[in-house]
Every structure is written in structure tokens, then in C-alpha cells.
Amino acid sequence: PTAGIGIYANVGTADTSQGWASGFIEPAAYAACALQWADLGATIIGGCCGTGVPHIKALADTAFA
């Protein structure tokens, strides 16, 4: 079997107190990016730092429904 290609990007943060805030991405925009990752061959897509339930729900509802 072929191994999958996984993507679990972060979305930045809207909270500048953490010191690394940059480019927070809303859930719908994250799902739109995921479509591009899938087109490039990603077979496992999730989320990392800054993503939350709304981002994963957007993946399920928008990108991969």
C-alpha cells in the first residue's frame, strides 16, 4: 500500500500575547486551502496550532462533504 501524505497546518493566532501572531486564517479560508492541498496530493488533512473545532468542521462541511 502507498503511504498517505499528511498536512496539518497552523493558522497563526489572533492573540498577540503569544508572540508569534501572524496571518490568522478563518475556518472557511482554511478549508479552501485544504482543497488546494488535496489537489496537490494530500490524503490526510487536519489542523495544528490555532485550528479548532470550527476549522475542522469547515473541512468536513466545505472541502470534503
Side-chain angles (χ1 to χ4, degrees), residues 25-54:
I25 299 173
E26 296 295 332
Y30 190 77
C33 289
L35 286 174
Q36 294 175 9
W37 302 329
D39 287 343
L40 292 170
T43 56
I44 303 166
I45 299 174
C48 194
C49 299
T51 60
V53 171

Side-chain angles (χ1 to χ4, degrees), residues 1 6-7 10 25 28-30 32 42 45-46 53 55 57 62-63:
I7 302 282
N10 72 65
I25 299 173
Y30 190 77
I45 299 174
V53 171
H55 291 89
K57 183 171 182 341
T62 304

